């Protein structure tokens, strides 16, 4: 898996929801749900996809808020795998 450079990252940003931001080596998004059950149901759906694909999010949850940071440890930066996971996450909200 190749680490994407700035240009390659910017070229791919239109493929994912506008609320994703590039924050250093992370694709970052903050989500608000109705309550904890909605937030955790979303996280469960993402977890199953992540485990299947072998690519996992860094994230935290506080009640109805989920903060996600996608990065590829193997390349210490953003790769195509992070965009793939971001696209799937966009479909699970
Ligand atoms: C062996 C296994 O496939 C790797 O350690 C995977 C697991 N999940 C991973 N998740 C993320 N986000 N980045 C990785 O580099 C990564 N590597």
């Amino acid at each position: 898996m190749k680490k994407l450079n700035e240009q390659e990252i910017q070229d791919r940003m239109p493929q994912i929801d506008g609320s994703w931001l590039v924050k250093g080596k992370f694709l970052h998004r903050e989500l608000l749900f109705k309550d904890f059950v909605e937030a955790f149901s979303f996280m469960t759906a993402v977890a199953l996809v992540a485990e299947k694909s072998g690519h996992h999010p860094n994230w935290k949850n506080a009640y109805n808020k989920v903060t996600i940071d996608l990065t590829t440890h193997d390349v210490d930066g953003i790769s195509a795998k992070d965009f793939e996971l971001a696209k799937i996450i966009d479909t699970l909200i």
Side-chain angles (χ1 to χ4, degrees):
M1 190 52 49
K2 184 181 141 330
K3 177 176 173 169
L4 299 175
N5 65 36
E6 274 301 320
Q7 189 58 55
E8 291 167 329
I9 290 168
Q10 287 312 320
D11 289 348
R12 285 164 177 75
M13 290 306 284
Q15 301 173 9
I16 58 179
D17 189 273
S19 58
W20 289 100
L21 306 172
V22 180
K23 257 190 156 183
K25 54 180 161 180
F26 301 104
L27 282 180
H28 176 89
R29 186 170 178 180
E30 295 177 14
L31 293 165
L32 276 183
F33 293 88
K34 182 174 64 103
D35 56 24
F36 176 72
V37 170
E38 293 288 324
F40 207 86
S41 298
F42 160 77
M43 292 175 79
T44 303
V46 173
L48 295 173
V49 172
E51 184 58 14
K52 211 172 232 176
S53 66
H55 196 67
H56 304 81
N58 292 359
W59 55 11
K60 62 182 181 187
N61 163 240
Y63 184 55
N64 65 336
K65 183 173 177 179
V66 180
T67 307
I68 306 173
D69 283 300
L70 303 181
T71 193
T72 300
H73 313 134
D74 292 353
V75 301
D76 195 29
I78 296 170
S79 76
K81 279 191 176 179
D82 299 303
F83 278 91
E84 282 167 29
L85 184 53
K87 282 181 207 170
I88 292 167
I89 287 172
D90 287 343
T91 70
L92 294 173
I93 295 160

